[in-house]
Amino acid sequence: MEREHLKLVIVGHVDHGKSTLIGRLFYDTDSLPREKLEEVRQICEALGRELEFAFVMDHLEEERSQGITIDTAQTFFKTAKRDYVIIDAPGHREFTKNMITGASQAEAAILIVDVSEGVQEQTRRHAYILSMLGLKQVIVVLNKMDLVGYSEEVFEKVRGHTLDFLKRIGINPTYVIPISAREGDNVASRSERMPWYTGPTILEALDTFKKTERRDGGPLRFAVQDVYNIEGKRIIVGRVEAGTLRRGDEIVILPTGERTRVKSIEEFMREGVEEAPPGKSTGITLEDKLFVDRGQILCRLEEETPKMVSEVKGSIFWMSSEPLQVGESVIFKCSTQEAPCRVEAIERRIDSSTLEVIEESSSRLENREVGEVTLSFASPVIVEDFNVTPELGRFVIEKEGNISGGGIITRLEG
Amino acid sequence: MITVIAIDALEYTLVEEFNMRNLKQDYYGRTDISEFSEPRTMVLWSSFMTGENREAEILAKGDKEMWNTRIPHEETFFSHFKNPFVLDLPGYNYDLEQHRRERELLKEFFEEKDEERKREVRRKYNENAFAHHRRVKERFFEALEGDYDFVLGYFSVADVIGHLNFGNRSLMKMIYRDLDDIVSRVEGKKIVLSDHGMKAVGAFGDHSDYGFWSTNFRDLGRPRITDFKRIVLQEALGE
């Protein structure tokens, strides 16, 4: 049986110990290939130092960036219960951008805070994105407890400040755990140096989290990526964004509204495939020869279909030095849809670091600001509220050929 | 008190790419070494310590003899300090025997045709360089505890290892992280300086034609290596 895996994002201020924590998680769960570890250990020894997890991460990252490592084992760490996939490389230059385009896939998050420094600018920014993406399964770890003598008093103080801040942005972490990633306290094993802490270790806490519900029986959303003609067959390739696609399903094609039936599910070297689960990229053929194109969404006839709207409202995190401006045209990308849109209004422009509202109504959104933006479309797009169907509720904005912002849809209009 | 962390072949672009925050300090950039015909270690450090372009004089000694250069203390700006400590600097007091051994192994490596024996020579070469690095680190940290008004530590590991392993980025990154860590452990005013950088030539490394500098006290713009005499003396002694 295939092991379950849960996608995890680890965020926090750059110096607060992300790399060390990731290295520690890999190491303590015995998830690193031994020969790699040995290689790093030897280099550390040559340099006259102990094995440090930041070095382990360096090694893995470098290999990955050069495309040497395709071995997926290295992006996983394992517990008895399941595998965890870390979906973000720490220390990346475009970290925030990745958060928007990548963290949106995460099912759980660890927010790391250096207990000797408390919440910093980047902590705020990253936490704000977690909140914007609606991540509910969040662990806060207060790291570097070794630097404050494993003091309960310091922990409680910083815990209080951190929770106050998170409450203001609507994050209610499931756990707050005192750890030392460097020393291994409360990561995989309980710390004897903090007998006052009776909660779970990071691994225990993670194992209590649930796989984000994939609504198997829920409404089908199949996003068309491309259409190929192979050996006389017209194969529609796409991704099951939500629901489960079954052979024989009566479907409706949006936005054309045409109806047909799924004739077959086509997979390489497999015959008679009956269904494709959520998240699966696959090919299908249809009973009738209808016009199908990239960007269209196939839904099940008897189910509720998504709305086609000409206006949406969404929270956007802007991450380009070129501001987003009211009145300009940009490209909206959601699932496989790509549509030009006009920026109608920008409300509640927020500094993502201080979380202060800069302006209630504004003509622009600058780099690293968050705003509630209204976008209008010349021809309708197929989208849904993020909290109903996340897969069709998140989008990115492309301006002048660059991905410049990302966000989630909070309201549909028209 | 001011500390100079002199790092041979520390490459500006790699410091940027690896985002080594301690190596970068508050201000950092490239040095201008365009006045020299070639980025040569001995020429550059000799010019650094005297505040004068010593290229002609050093090159005149010839390829072999130049490595034995020992510039007299009174010709260097170190002599302006009452109690300076300079560790292993080429052209001043570096370990000749260590360097001779490095060059010997390097020569052996390039002359060796058999791949397996080549690997073995490289292993020896790396081991020799790392052992030296560990000794230098130890002495450097001891010196920081000592009663000196100027400390300069010279680290050759990025250059020596880089020549035969520059293509191994994860190894280079770990070396940079170690150097980054060294800088983080130095208190007070400090300058990080390299003679030249390094560029990839296949799996190997050759010198690039600019150096790296950083400080925790002010922006130096694009300094020449001979400017550091003045900068150090001004910052440390107000001269």
Side-chain angles (χ1 to χ4, degrees), chain A residues 13-15 19 39-40 43-49 52 54-55 58-59 61-63 65-66 91 93, chain B residues 16-21 130-131 133-134 137 157 167-171 173-175 177-179 181:
Chain A
H13 191 269
V14 64
D15 285 333
S19 289
E39 211 179 311
V40 179
I43 296 170
C44 283
E45 196 174 282
L47 288 165
R49 55 195 309 146
E52 281 173 41
F55 282 71
D58 281 349
H59 188 66
E61 270 173 40
E62 274 314 310
E63 290 205 334
S65 73
Q66 290 173 82
R93 184 180 287 176
Chain B
E16 276 281 33
E17 261 178 69
F18 296 156
N19 193 19
M20 292 293 164
R21 295 151 57 85
F130 280 128
H133 178 64
R134 291 196 298 271
K137 267 207 307 195
V157 68
N168 183 345
R169 273 178 57 106
S170 66
L171 176 59
K173 190 168 182 180
M174 287 188 242
I175 288 170
R177 191 175 283 286
D178 191 53
L179 293 165
D181 191 54

Side-chain angles (χ1 to χ4, degrees), chain A residues 392-412:
Chain A
L392 289 181
R394 64 171 77 97
F395 62 91
V396 295
I397 295 291
E398 196 181 284
K399 178 170 170 167
E400 286 151 17
N402 299 310
I403 300 290
S404 305
I408 57 173
I409 292 165
T410 52
R411 214 159 80 202
L412 313 169

Side-chain angles (χ1 to χ4, degrees), chain A residues 185-227:
Chain A
D185 297 277
N186 289 336
V187 177
S189 52
R190 190 156 293 281
S191 170
E192 287 172 11
R193 288 174 279 216
M194 291 177 275
W196 46 265
Y197 174 76
T198 54
T201 62
I202 293 182
L203 290 186
E204 287 166 351
L206 283 172
D207 277 352
T208 69
F209 284 163
K210 293 191 175 56
K211 276 294 289 174
T212 310
E213 283 256 290
R214 282 283 185 185
R215 292 148 302 141
D216 260 35
L220 170 72
R221 307 289 185 251
F222 180 83
V224 178
Q225 278 163 2
D226 221 330
V227 180

Side-chain angles (χ1 to χ4, degrees), chain A residues 31-259:
Chain A
S31 306
L32 286 169
R34 269 172 207 288
E35 64 276 18
K36 293 269 174 257
L37 200 61
E38 184 52 25
E39 211 179 311
V40 179
R41 196 193 58 72
Q42 280 179 10
I43 296 170
C44 283
E45 196 174 282
L47 288 165
R49 55 195 309 146
E50 305 254 305
L51 176 68
E52 281 173 41
F53 299 112
F55 282 71
V56 176
M57 288 319 293
D58 281 349
H59 188 66
L60 295 180
E61 270 173 40
E62 274 314 310
E63 290 205 334
R64 207 170 300 159
S65 73
Q66 290 173 82
I68 298 169
T69 308
I70 303 180
D71 180 5
T72 50
Q74 294 190 353
T75 63
F76 286 86
F77 66 90
K78 305 166 203 289
T79 65
K81 180 168 179 176
R82 57 162 85 101
D83 294 346
Y84 290 89
V85 186
I86 296 180
I87 59 168
D88 255 314
H92 198 278
R93 184 180 287 176
E94 306 270 344
F95 186 70
T96 313
K97 190 183 275 184
N98 282 356
M99 291 268 303
I100 287 286
T101 49
S104 56
Q105 311 289 329
E107 297 168 274
I110 294 177
L111 177 67
I112 189 165
V113 178
D114 181 335
V115 75
S116 65
E117 289 192 0
V119 170
Q120 300 285 310
E121 191 203 313
Q122 268 179 339
T123 321
R124 289 179 213 278
R125 202 148 61 218
H126 289 174
Y128 193 81
I129 302 168
L130 296 184
S131 125
M132 228 183 75
L133 296 167
L135 267 169
K136 299 275 183 280
Q137 308 193 102
V138 178
I139 299 173
V140 172
V141 297
L142 300 188
N143 189 26
K144 307 196 187 178
M145 286 299 296
D146 51 318
L147 297 186
V148 297
Y150 298 99
S151 156
E152 182 178 9
E153 199 185 325
V154 177
F155 171 72
E156 284 301 334
K157 199 172 131 213
V158 179
R159 178 177 174 274
H161 288 163
T162 310
L163 289 179
D164 279 349
F165 159 71
L166 292 176
K167 199 174 162 191
R168 279 168 47 209
I169 59 170
I171 294 183
N172 181 20
T174 320
Y175 306 97
V176 183
I177 308 176
I179 68 158
S180 166
R182 183 180 277 259
E183 302 299 326
D185 297 277
N186 289 336
V187 177
S189 52
R190 190 156 293 281
S191 170
E192 287 172 11
R193 288 174 279 216
M194 291 177 275
W196 46 265
Y197 174 76
T198 54
T201 62
I202 293 182
L203 290 186
E204 287 166 351
L206 283 172
D207 277 352
T208 69
F209 284 163
K210 293 191 175 56
K211 276 294 289 174
T212 310
E213 283 256 290
R214 282 283 185 185
R215 292 148 302 141
D216 260 35
L220 170 72
R221 307 289 185 251
F222 180 83
V224 178
Q225 278 163 2
D226 221 330
V227 180
Y228 299 107
N229 286 304
I230 301 170
E231 292 168 0
K233 274 190 197 167
R234 194 152 168 271
I235 297 178
I236 296 155
V237 177
R239 184 180 144 95
V240 184
E241 297 285 11
T244 300
L245 176 82
R246 295 192 180 82
R247 191 168 66 84
D249 273 346
E250 271 195 86
I251 56 159
V252 55
I253 303 168
L254 296 182
T256 62
E258 288 181 297
R259 297 168 184 192

Side-chain angles (χ1 to χ4, degrees), chain B residues 18-231:
Chain B
F18 296 156
N19 193 19
M20 292 293 164
R21 295 151 57 85
N22 297 305
L23 286 171
K24 290 205 289 202
Q25 303 193 77
D26 301 322
Y27 309 95
Y28 67 100
R30 290 173 155 103
T31 60
D32 177 3
I33 52 172
S34 59
E35 66 190 283
F36 301 95
S37 65
E38 263 183 87
R40 284 173 171 267
T41 294
M42 190 56 76
V43 169
L44 291 162
W45 291 118
S46 300
S47 303
F48 157 79
M49 71 182 93
T50 56
E52 297 159 3
N53 184 331
R54 295 279 183 120
E55 183 169 34
E57 169 194 336
I58 303 290
L59 289 187
K61 295 175 186 235
D63 255 355
K64 223 172 179 158
E65 184 50 33
M66 82 160 76
W67 295 105
N68 297 324
T69 301
R70 290 284 201 234
I71 292 179
H73 181 69
E74 49 287 355
E75 289 180 31
T76 71
F77 72 79
F78 314 144
S79 62
H80 291 241
F81 291 91
K82 282 197 189 75
N83 195 18
F85 179 88
V86 175
L87 175 61
D88 206 38
L89 185 66
Y92 182 73
N93 65 350
Y94 83 144
D95 184 341
L96 292 172
E97 174 52 28
Q98 171 68 23
H99 187 72
R100 191 194 56 74
R101 178 85 180 128
E102 280 162 13
R103 289 209 302 164
E104 200 176 85
L105 286 166
L106 196 61
K107 188 159 169 268
E108 200 180 323
F109 177 86
F110 283 110
E111 281 171 0
E112 181 61 63
K113 294 285 175 279
D114 181 79
E115 280 306 317
E116 194 158 321
R117 280 208 295 273
K118 231 174 157 68
R119 271 198 292 280
E120 179 55 24
V121 177
R122 172 153 68 189
R123 196 190 57 72
K124 265 196 230 164
Y125 174 88
N126 288 356
E127 202 173 86
N128 179 56
F130 280 128
H132 182 64
H133 178 64
R134 291 196 298 271
R135 285 193 298 272
V136 168
K137 267 207 307 195
E138 202 173 311
R139 286 172 62 201
F140 179 66
F141 288 121
E142 274 169 23
L144 291 178
E145 301 295 313
D147 184 25
Y148 301 106
D149 54 354
F150 174 76
V151 172
L152 181 147
Y154 168 80
F155 297 89
S156 62
V157 68
D159 182 71
V160 180
I161 295 294
H163 276 303
L164 281 198
N165 306 270
F166 201 64
N168 183 345
R169 273 178 57 106
S170 66
L171 176 59
M172 293 313 292
K173 190 168 182 180
M174 287 188 242
I175 288 170
Y176 273 53
R177 191 175 283 286
D178 191 53
L179 293 165
D180 189 71
D181 191 54
I182 291 170
V183 176
S184 77
R185 290 166 64 183
V186 178
E187 285 172 4
K189 273 187 190 169
K190 51 190 164 184
I191 296 175
V192 175
L193 180 67
S194 77
D195 44 354
H196 50 73
M198 190 163 268
K199 60 187 176 198
V201 180
F204 307 114
D206 194 7
H207 297 170
S208 63
D209 48 13
Y210 47 80
F212 173 90
W213 66 266
S214 77
T215 80
N216 58 353
F217 51 84
R218 75 179 157 94
D219 189 353
L220 305 179
R222 186 149 185 155
R224 297 183 309 159
I225 202 160
T226 47
D227 292 336
F228 283 85
K229 171 182 178 177
R230 178 179 50 79
I231 293 162

